[in-house]
Amino acid sequence: MDKSIIIIGAGIAGLSAGCYGQMNGYKTRIFEMHTTPGGLCTAWKRRGYLIDGCIHWLTGSSPGNSFYRLWEEVGAVQGRTMVDPENFIRIEGKEGKVFIVYTDLHRLEQHMKELAPEDKDIIEEFINAALICTRLDMPIEKAPELYSPIDGLKMMFTMFPYLRLMRKWGKISLTDFAQRFKNPFLREVFPLVQDVPDFPIIGLLTTLAFLHNKAAGYPLGGSLEFARGIERRYLDLGGEVHYKSPIAKILVGNDRAVGVQLADGSEHHSDIVISAADGRSTIFDMLEGKYVSEEIQGYYDKLPIFSPLIYISLGVAHSFDESHTAAGINFPLDEPVTIARQELKRLPVHIYNFDPTLAPEGKTLLTVMIDSDYEYWKKLSEDSERYRAEKEQIADQVVALLDRRFPGLAKQVEMRDVATPLTFERYTGNWQGTYEGWLLSTKTLNVRMSKTLPGLNNFYMAGHWVMPGGGLPTGIMAGRYVTQIICKNDKKKFVTSTP
Ligand SMILES: Cc1cc2nc3c(=O)[nH]c(=O)nc-3n(C[C@H](O)[C@H](O)[C@H](O)COP(=O)(O)OP(=O)(O)OC[C@H]3O[C@@H](n4cnc5c(N)ncnc54)[C@H](O)[C@@H]3O)c2cc1C
């Protein structure tokens, strides 16, 4: 008899675990609390626009690298047009100066040298490191937990140039690195290239390498369509998804996971349970904190997460001719403004003029992401009128700020939508509404988390709560890895197929 697996959550990790489980002869079922697949990888309709809520760049978007082969296995990329950005980000200064992080590394080098000829040496060192990354294909096929000593040696051999870079650039944050520039403008704007606290330079080098190789594009049609592709593959493989099915409890007997209990009280049994849902609620609510080590407790007490967001979307009756930037345009404000109690001196905006499926003809979707404090919104939500009013006020403020940068924009806005950290929490269950789980920082870069819990058998975790840094790649990798571990435990050879 085939063994059965229940998977909690139809995000990218849950759907991937489902696909690989089906490929390996397990009878899998996914229980998802929402009505659509994708989790954070989603989109929603508002007044003729489709608001994309996720993919800015998809690691492994083109053939020739190991990530693409994985995306092919789960049916995510076939028949999908990828658009490659010309720029990673455009950072504007106050006196008309602009730092454009071109995705072509040679063009970027030339541009940086024009901006800061006095920093020629450090610019060359940085670009050369990124070029080394362009020549590497990461061995991601196999779960690190299953590495034999020979696999380890092979990995060291293949990854030797990268491991050297990791040693050199893994411990330096963008902010610290920026201090090495003599040029004051580069010193000021470089940390904004990936505006995340303590973000390691190696993370940026890897992203730039994928972009240079045209392997970090955007799938036309957006994030929900992308997730639906994986859902289709899962259903074709014989999997079952149950939507509107929030799991309240993981059922345990003799320290073995034996099934799940839904919020409506119904029970469903299986040989194995995989949680691809929020880590904290899995461990501390669904399992009542009974299977926790000091180490795991420490993650949840101390590790930083990607900041929750206010996500402002605008439908604008105008077609913008700005070039496609993966991470948007970041521009300075004439004067600082306070939004949700935070002072902002700059504003980032994403202009989706490269995806006609998101807006009616001649019109454009714009999104603005602002880091925000979860507790502030939690408190505010006790008074629903004030919560709603705050969202309206933020939309007014953002429109006014964008109008200064794009004169006339305010009159062209015909759709406004504001999602808060509570929106992300409500729709995806992610702790504090974070958009990517554990922060990738110089301190978490080498943290390896277990995909099992101490003392609990037949139970696994997948997704961005077990792989710091998060993102879509960790979703598919974790889904694949837990299935490999399950196969190994069942003494089965792990197999895959590509449709
Ligand atoms: C604005 C934004 C931009 C992003 N940009 C990028 C990008 O450009 N590139 C990139 O790689 N990544 C990006 N990310 C991050 C990426 O979307 C996530 O890291 C990734 O999708 C996480 O996948 P996951 O499956 O681990 O988790 P999730 O997507 O959180 O999936 C978990 C699923 O579990 C379900 N669930 C939770 N609790 C329960 C329960 N009790 N019962 C049943 N179901 C439950 C949820 O509804 C959800 O569907 C972005 C995210 C956001 C929000």
Side-chain angles (χ1 to χ4, degrees), residues 8 246-252 259-263 266-268 273 285-288 290:
I8 309 171
I247 302 297
K249 211 171 157 183
I250 294 167
L251 302 172
V252 176
V260 292
Q261 186 183 67
L262 268 67
S266 62
E267 293 192 356
H268 301 264
V273 175
D285 299 336
M286 296 180 215
L287 286 164
E288 297 169 343
K290 288 181 182 157

Side-chain angles (χ1 to χ4, degrees), residues 268-293:
H268 301 264
H269 293 266
S270 61
D271 299 306
I272 294 164
V273 175
I274 299 174
S275 176
D278 170 61
R280 174 173 273 269
S281 51
T282 297
I283 298 171
F284 298 98
D285 299 336
M286 296 180 215
L287 286 164
E288 297 169 343
K290 288 181 182 157
Y291 300 94
V292 190
S293 59

Side-chain angles (χ1 to χ4, degrees), residues 164-447:
R164 280 184 52 190
L165 289 179
M166 281 275 276
R167 253 201 312 277
K168 182 167 174 193
W169 302 90
K171 295 246 176 317
I172 311 171
S173 70
L174 263 66
T175 311
D176 290 343
F177 180 75
Q179 297 316 308
R180 297 188 189 174
F181 291 115
K182 294 188 193 89
N183 183 281
F185 180 59
L186 266 195
R187 252 204 325 267
E188 180 200 332
V189 293
F190 192 84
L192 303 170
V193 175
Q194 241 159 2
D195 195 10
V196 170
D198 198 29
F199 195 81
I201 288 283
I202 189 74
L204 174 62
L205 293 172
T206 315
T207 305
L208 290 179
F210 271 100
L211 288 159
H212 177 86
N213 286 342
K214 300 205 179 309
Y218 165 89
L220 267 194
S223 304
L224 182 56
E225 267 315 295
F226 176 80
R228 283 201 195 284
I230 310 179
E231 183 206 40
R232 268 194 297 278
R233 169 78 169 135
Y234 175 62
L235 297 174
D236 287 348
L237 284 162
E240 275 176 37
V241 195
H242 301 267
Y243 290 107
K244 296 197 219 164
S245 301
I247 302 297
K249 211 171 157 183
I250 294 167
L251 302 172
V252 176
N254 294 328
D255 293 329
R256 286 173 180 277
V258 295
V260 292
Q261 186 183 67
L262 268 67
D264 65 10
S266 62
E267 293 192 356
H268 301 264
H269 293 266
S270 61
D271 299 306
I272 294 164
V273 175
I274 299 174
S275 176
D278 170 61
R280 174 173 273 269
S281 51
T282 297
I283 298 171
F284 298 98
D285 299 336
M286 296 180 215
L287 286 164
E288 297 169 343
K290 288 181 182 157
Y291 300 94
V292 190
S293 59
E294 245 178 65
E295 189 180 347
I296 294 170
Q297 184 70 52
Y299 299 154
Y300 288 89
D301 289 345
K302 292 190 209 122
L303 277 192
I305 55 174
F306 278 94
S307 171
L309 296 176
I310 312 174
Y311 197 77
I312 304 116
S313 308
L314 303 173
V316 184
H318 177 70
S319 48
F320 291 75
D321 53 14
E322 271 73 11
S323 15
H324 172 193
T325 47
I329 298 177
N330 185 308
F331 64 94
L333 306 178
D334 297 338
E335 280 152 26
V337 294
T338 303
I339 289 188
R341 283 222 209 117
Q342 249 162 281
E343 192 187 72
L344 299 185
K345 293 187 175 140
R346 300 185 141 265
L347 201 70
V349 58
H350 208 79
I351 302 175
Y352 282 91
N353 51 353
F354 50 88
D355 189 347
T357 69
L358 306 184
E361 206 181 332
K363 302 180 178 182
T364 315
L365 172 78
L366 264 54
T367 60
V368 170
M369 284 167 51
I370 302 174
D371 289 357
S372 194
D373 174 23
Y374 172 82
E375 291 305 329
Y376 169 74
W377 288 98
K378 190 79 194 153
K379 184 107 198 56
L380 201 63
S381 69
E382 288 165 13
D383 179 341
S384 55
E385 269 315 303
R386 279 189 57 216
Y387 177 80
R388 253 197 302 276
E390 179 73 335
K391 292 205 318 178
E392 280 304 311
Q393 193 198 323
I394 289 173
D396 288 343
Q397 283 177 296
V398 166
V399 168
L401 295 171
L402 287 172
D403 191 63
R404 302 286 279 268
R405 171 63 182 77
F406 304 99
L409 175 139
K411 287 201 185 79
Q412 297 159 335
V413 173
E414 52 182 33
M415 181 279 293
R416 309 175 355 155
D417 181 83
V418 179
T420 74
L422 298 194
T423 320
F424 284 95
E425 181 187 50
R426 192 164 63 247
Y427 283 103
T428 70
N430 276 290
W431 182 38
Q432 305 223 335
T434 177
Y435 68 98
E436 213 163 300
W438 305 118
L439 191 71
L440 183 70
S441 72
T442 60
K443 296 179 194 68
T444 58
L445 190 64
N446 292 318
V447 174

Side-chain angles (χ1 to χ4, degrees), residues 8-14 31-34 36-41 52-59 245-248 276-278 281 286 309 311 369 424 427-430 434-437 462-465 469-475:
I8 309 171
I12 299 305
F31 289 90
E32 163 59 49
M33 66 177 189
H34 196 25
T36 47
L40 285 160
C41 184
D52 199 83
C54 183
I55 306 178
H56 294 134
W57 63 92
L58 172 71
T59 302
S245 301
I247 302 297
D278 170 61
S281 51
M286 296 180 215
L309 296 176
Y311 197 77
M369 284 167 51
F424 284 95
Y427 283 103
T428 70
N430 276 290
T434 177
Y435 68 98
E436 213 163 300
H464 63 190
W465 291 104
L472 304 164
T474 63

Side-chain angles (χ1 to χ4, degrees), residues 108-152:
L108 173 61
E109 178 176 4
Q110 195 189 337
H111 172 63
M112 286 177 82
K113 283 180 177 170
E114 278 161 16
L115 278 179
E118 65 274 40
D119 289 311
K120 178 176 167 291
D121 291 348
I122 182 84
I123 292 168
E124 281 174 6
E125 199 183 339
F126 175 72
I127 296 290
N128 286 340
L131 286 169
I132 293 173
C133 294
T134 63
R135 297 191 283 272
L136 293 167
D137 189 21
M138 296 184 190
I140 53 161
E141 279 85 358
K142 192 166 180 177
E145 290 86 341
L146 302 180
Y147 266 36
S148 65
I150 292 182
D151 290 327

